[in-house]
Amino acid sequence: MSTNHSSETPAVVRVGAGPIGVDEIVAVATHGARVELAPGLRERLSVGATALADRLRAGDRVYGVTTGFGESCVSEVPGAHVPELPINLLRFHGCGTGQMFDEAQAAAIVAARIASLVGGWSAVRPVLVERLCELLNHRALPRIPAEGSVGASGDLTPLSYIAALLVGERETSYQGQLLPASELLGRLGLEPLRLAPKESLAVMNGTSVMTALTCLALAGAERLARVSALITATASDAMAGNPAHFDARIYAAKPHPGSIRYARVIRDHLEYTPGPAFEGRIQDRYSIRCAPQVVGVLLDALPWMRQWLVVELNGANDNPLVDPGSGETLHGGNFYGGHACFVADALKNVVANLADLHDRQLALLCSGHTNNGLPENLNGRQGPDSAAHHGFKAMQIAASALAAEALKTTIPASVFSRSTECHNQDKVSMGTIAAREALRIVELTEQVCAILLLAVAQAVDLRERAGGQCRPQSLALRDAVRERAAFVDVDRRQDRDIAAVLDMLRHDRVPALAFT
């Protein structure tokens, strides 16, 4: 599959034919795309599995196959007990804690693990990969606790829940039900797999949890960038700001591509063309005027983030590896999630800056000192009792709380490495914590943006009511919001409005202009 971003969602993702990209993981996770194995993949996978079996028959020492795990690699396991290791490994790693990943996240994780295994370096049998694909296509998913991974040796504890499903242990989700894995396999007419030597290690010792979650966070960040431009443009329009801040010549003078693209969208929204000098306040405040420079950082970071995630998704990220050509066993550290962690930590920073930016824009919209003639707090009440109503006052407080939490969560996870497992894992990535935090920041920023969409729609209505004229794209946004949330003319609850607009945002139903 192509790794380039595409607006088309594939119905089928074929693994083993080429690199799997972020869009394919998102398609499987959130759009229910099916997974198919490429022709010839079964034969390619068999090579590595056969090579490992040959090595074991020859009496070679192989970590995690004829030895204990981690610091216990110095312990030799007698041949009669080698078959016990795969099941013991997944069982003693059944110690995850915290909330369960939701079904979309679990599906993304399984898809990411498949993408790595099909490279042929993990020495798993074809039947194991086929079973993972079959379970994924049935949406028969492991219940995976979110906590318990330090990100090297990979995501051992959370990925053990995939291995447990294969052998019919622990719990699963299927068609809205929570079922024991053994019962689910029975419903599907599947026998539990008996894992061959190294197969539980191959499933568990990798970066697929952190990488899958970061793919989902990146897709959310891309969506937020589009919505951000719409919010900024409509806020500028409703406050009668100076559109010349988005003149193309400004961005040609410091040509960061992301800033150029963001400014172009705002310029198109505002229908700006250079002309006579602007009559109003000559310079808007930074949260409007500098928005392209703020969000341009995110837009320029997304391409290299995607590139790194594609390498991580498709790379052999377990240990040991088995050279499918020579059969040689290679002991290394590809399970270390440093690259995925850096993407997640960086994504946290640039997305949280969006939350902060739009919280500041809401402050401008709500203040009678900065919103250029709109009512204080965007109060839509008219008449003698207008002073008894407070418009978006509490909405601003909520947005500030959400933005503060997002900003607080940006501390890089990678710098909190802990030496663990008897000092064998003495430097670890913390990539899974970073990925979980990236998803959380995306969620918080989506909520801030949902509040801002309601606020700018309110501002457009108020500007129009006062005799002003907003641009067609601003009116289109207002109309889209009004299909889900009414104009606020009296004090009332707005949590349901936020939820309705948040759903619109997350399902790409916001009428935003596309970046080109």
Side-chain angles (χ1 to χ4, degrees):
M1 297 295 298
S2 168
T3 59
N4 293 326
H5 176 62
S6 171
S7 60
E8 296 183 3
T9 301
V12 175
V13 173
R14 182 166 291 170
V15 293
I20 297 298
V22 172
D23 295 330
E24 284 79 13
I25 296 297
V26 172
V28 171
T30 64
H31 301 291
R34 293 179 57 80
V35 176
E36 293 181 356
L37 298 182
L41 181 58
R42 168 175 266 277
E43 291 73 19
R44 297 208 308 273
L45 289 173
S46 296
V47 171
T50 300
L52 176 61
D54 290 343
R55 290 281 175 171
L56 294 177
R57 279 192 293 269
D60 287 3
R61 293 175 69 237
V62 179
Y63 165 76
V65 179
T66 65
T67 75
F69 301 105
E71 183 64 16
S72 301
C73 67
V74 296
S75 301
E76 301 292 332
V77 177
H81 296 285
V82 165
E84 300 172 21
L85 282 179
I87 197 74
N88 288 345
L89 177 66
L90 73 89
R91 283 177 176 168
F92 79 76
H93 275 287
C95 56
T97 63
Q99 293 184 345
M100 297 290 174
F101 289 123
D102 64 29
E103 289 194 358
Q105 292 163 350
I109 291 166
V110 175
R113 199 73 208 121
I114 293 169
S116 175
L117 293 176
V118 298
W121 289 84
S122 300
V124 298
R125 295 166 298 159
V127 66
L128 186 146
V129 178
E130 291 169 340
R131 177 62 58 84
L132 287 176
C133 292
E134 186 172 8
L135 291 168
L136 184 55
N137 288 338
H138 280 293
R139 221 60 176 182
L141 299 167
R143 296 277 288 166
I144 306 174
E147 299 166 355
S149 175
V150 295
S153 272
D155 291 313
L156 288 167
T157 289
L159 288 176
S160 77
Y161 289 78
I162 297 179
L165 172 56
L166 291 172
V167 303
E169 296 189 6
R170 301 184 198 165
E171 296 75 39
T172 66
S173 64
Y174 177 63
Q175 297 183 347
Q177 296 180 282
L178 301 183
L179 297 171
S182 57
E183 181 179 339
L184 174 58
L185 293 180
R187 285 194 187 189
L188 298 177
L190 301 172
E191 290 291 329
L193 284 184
R194 184 176 180 84
L195 297 177
K198 191 187 175 299
E199 285 188 333
S200 63
L201 190 60
V203 170
M204 294 166 53
N205 191 8
T207 61
S208 297
V209 176
M210 68 183 80
T211 306
L213 299 182
T214 306
C215 286
L216 298 179
L218 186 140
E222 289 177 331
R223 182 170 57 244
L224 283 168
R226 295 192 296 272
V227 172
S228 171
L230 176 62
I231 290 169
T232 299
T234 307
S236 174
D237 193 15
M239 290 188 289
N242 185 354
H245 296 323
F246 311 105
D247 191 301
R249 292 168 292 183
I250 296 171
Y251 302 91
K254 192 173 82 165
H256 287 299
S259 298
I260 291 171
R261 293 167 64 203
Y262 191 93
R264 182 186 300 123
V265 170
I266 297 177
R267 195 163 57 246
D268 291 345
H269 180 117
L270 298 176
E271 301 176 334
Y272 168 76
T273 54
F278 183 65
E279 298 278 331
R281 178 185 169 105
I282 193 169
Q283 289 196 155
D284 291 331
R285 291 166 178 85
Y286 285 15
S287 63
I288 298 294
R289 181 170 24 128
C290 300
Q293 287 82 357
V294 173
V295 187
V297 179
L298 167 61
L299 291 171
D300 284 336
L302 288 171
W304 67 258
M305 289 179 174
R306 276 180 166 268
Q307 181 184 21
W308 284 23
L309 289 176
V310 168
V311 173
E312 199 69 40
L313 277 170
N314 298 278
N317 50 62
D318 60 306
N319 174 63
L321 303 180
V322 177
D323 186 334
S326 68
E328 184 179 359
T329 305
L330 307 171
H331 296 89
N334 279 7
F335 51 71
Y336 193 89
H339 284 77
C341 184
F342 189 81
V343 172
D345 274 342
L347 198 61
K348 286 158 49 180
N349 180 300
V350 288
V351 174
N353 267 292
L354 264 70
D356 189 36
L357 175 80
H358 293 303
D359 177 50
R360 297 300 81 215
Q361 290 180 354
L362 183 57
L364 298 182
L365 285 160
C366 285
S367 173
H369 297 290
T370 57
N371 64 19
N372 203 5
L374 296 175
E376 190 88 9
N377 295 310
L378 301 177
N379 186 358
R381 187 65 174 171
Q382 292 181 314
D385 65 341
S386 63
H389 295 268
H390 298 82
F392 276 65
K393 182 183 286 289
M395 292 281 267
Q396 186 188 348
I397 296 170
S400 292
L402 295 164
E405 185 174 345
L407 294 166
K408 178 180 178 293
T409 311
T410 58
I411 299 173
S414 66
V415 299
F416 289 93
S417 174
R418 309 295 299 161
S419 180
T420 188
E421 199 256 301
C422 299
H423 296 297
N424 175 54
Q425 297 183 23
D426 58 349
K427 175 60 178 169
V428 293
S429 77
M430 296 298 180
T432 312
I433 294 174
R436 286 169 36 221
E437 289 175 337
L439 277 175
R440 177 60 177 155
I441 289 174
V442 167
E443 179 185 39
L444 291 163
T445 306
E446 287 173 337
Q447 293 166 346
V448 171
C449 287
I451 292 173
L452 263 293
L453 289 168
L454 288 160
V456 295
Q458 181 85 356
V460 168
D461 277 331
L462 292 169
R463 182 63 68 191
E464 294 272 312
R465 191 170 74 178
Q469 187 172 5
C470 291
R471 304 304 198 283
Q473 192 70 17
S474 299
L475 299 176
L477 169 61
R478 186 271 316 275
D479 293 344
V481 170
R482 289 288 166 258
E483 291 178 5
R484 295 159 177 83
F487 177 73
V488 181
D489 58 352
V490 295
D491 284 351
R492 59 175 175 81
R493 66 185 297 181
Q494 294 192 64
D495 52 352
R496 290 174 177 169
D497 295 353
I498 295 171
V501 173
L502 188 59
D503 180 75
M504 177 175 71
L505 185 161
R506 288 175 173 165
H507 289 89
D508 282 320
R509 293 174 185 147
V510 178
L513 294 171
F515 287 112
T516 56

